[in-house]
């Protein structure tokens, strides 16, 4: 069974997830820690639970979601993995941050492996499935654990909201298609862990998310 620990890091309040199971193997998703205090908080959890970090996954490559990748690489020897489309179609994270008038004194880690739709990510006795869900960004990925009933949704679907589409490569029609075809088709009891804000469920979003009104008709 997968245990999920979520931290909210950096001024943009990114949810960083640590997933681990009874073997002690773990993966990091959207490592966003940027200050020494945030790095210690993440490090204390990993060491305190005697975890071995095996992989570092990115739901997408907007700068706020990758601020801690260099720390993870340096500390745990893991390198970030993401979808190829974001590498090809998004500006470098440093340029994105400047565009948003935010300056972070960090060096961003290079992507080491490209994840494909349907790819299985294994750690310990557990598995995730990568779902390509473009629209917020061209390479947005969600990570689904059907056996544990949850999905890590990045900035695709939020509690009562959806990802913004006014940034590089964003497309509202594509995003809505991704949500309708890849997320709303999951079992309704599935817990959704978004890239910002609080967890929700597929059932709740189907019933109450105002951006999904057309889906309910």
């Amino acid at each position: 069974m997968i245990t999920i620990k979520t931290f909210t890091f950096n001024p943009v309040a990114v949810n960083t997830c640590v997933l681990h199971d009874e073997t002690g193997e773990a993966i990091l998703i959207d490592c966003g820690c940027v200050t020494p205090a945030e790095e210690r908080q993440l490090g204390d959890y990993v060491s305190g639970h005697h975890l071995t970090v095996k992989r570092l996954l990115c739901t997408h490559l907007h700068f706020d979601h990758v601020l801690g990748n260099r720390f993870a690489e340096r500390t745990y020897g893991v390198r970030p993995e993401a979808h190829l489309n974001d590498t090809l179609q998004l500006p470098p994270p440093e340029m994105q941050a400047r565009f948003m008038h935010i300056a972070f004194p960090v060096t961003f880690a290079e992507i080491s492996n490209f994840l494909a739709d349907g790819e299985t990510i294994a750690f310990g006795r557990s598995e995730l499935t990568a779902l390509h869900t473009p629209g917020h960004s061209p390479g947005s990925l969600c990570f689904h654990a059907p056996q544990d009933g949850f999905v890590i949704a990045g900035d695709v679907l939020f509690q009562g909201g959806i990802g913004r589409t006014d940034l590089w490569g964003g497309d509202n029609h594509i995003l809505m298609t991704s949500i309708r075809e890849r997320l709303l088709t999951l079992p309704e009891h599935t817990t959704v862990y978004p890239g910002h804000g609080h967890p929700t469920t597929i059932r709740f979003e189907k019933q109450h998310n105002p951006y999904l009104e057309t889906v309910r008709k």
Side-chain angles (χ1 to χ4, degrees):
M1 181 175 180
I2 299 174
T3 297
I4 303 175
K5 173 63 177 178
T6 302
F7 299 91
T8 301
F9 286 147
N10 74 55
V12 193
V14 166
N15 289 331
T16 292
C17 295
V18 183
L19 276 56
H20 57 97
D21 67 10
E22 63 275 12
T23 68
E25 290 194 358
I27 61 173
L28 303 180
I29 301 179
D30 287 356
C31 190
C33 52
V34 69
T35 67
E38 291 175 344
E39 292 173 354
R40 283 194 300 272
Q41 189 178 4
L42 177 59
D44 286 349
Y45 182 84
V46 171
S47 62
H49 288 78
H50 309 288
L51 303 180
T52 301
V53 177
K54 304 298 288 186
R55 298 179 74 169
L56 171 59
L57 310 182
C58 307
T59 61
H60 63 294
L61 298 182
H62 285 158
F63 76 95
D64 51 323
H65 288 255
V66 300
L67 286 166
N69 283 355
R70 183 67 76 186
F71 165 77
E73 182 180 53
R74 182 176 66 248
T75 306
Y76 305 114
V78 291
R79 300 183 64 195
E81 305 176 55
H83 195 280
L84 176 63
N85 286 2
D86 270 8
T87 299
L88 295 177
Q89 300 182 43
L90 295 185
E94 298 91 338
M95 186 180 299
Q96 296 179 34
R98 287 197 298 271
F99 178 82
M100 302 296 288
H101 305 291
I102 299 174
F104 291 105
V106 297
T107 301
F108 292 92
E110 296 292 329
I111 303 303
S112 66
N113 181 53
F114 298 114
L115 298 169
D117 180 53
E119 184 168 340
T120 297
I121 296 108
F123 63 103
R125 298 190 182 99
S126 304
E127 291 184 347
L128 303 175
T129 300
L131 306 177
H132 184 213
T133 49
H136 175 65
S137 76
S140 285
L141 291 167
C142 296
F143 299 106
H144 182 215
Q147 70 280 9
D148 290 271
F150 70 84
V151 63
I152 307 297
D155 287 1
V156 175
L157 180 66
F158 301 113
Q159 184 185 82
I162 61 174
R164 61 188 294 183
T165 57
D166 58 337
L167 298 174
W168 312 272
D171 186 296
N172 188 73
H173 174 73
I174 293 175
L175 176 64
M176 294 304 297
T177 299
S178 292
I179 293 171
R180 183 176 63 251
E181 296 183 355
R182 306 309 305 273
L183 295 184
L184 298 187
T185 54
L186 299 177
E188 290 195 339
H189 65 265
T190 302
T191 300
V192 179
Y193 291 91
H196 305 269
H198 300 290
T200 184
T201 65
I202 295 296
R203 178 183 293 113
F204 183 89
E205 298 313 309
K206 280 184 174 180
Q207 295 175 349
H208 302 291
N209 192 314
Y211 294 91
L212 306 182
E213 182 67 31
T214 56
V215 175
R216 294 191 287 273
K217 293 181 178 178

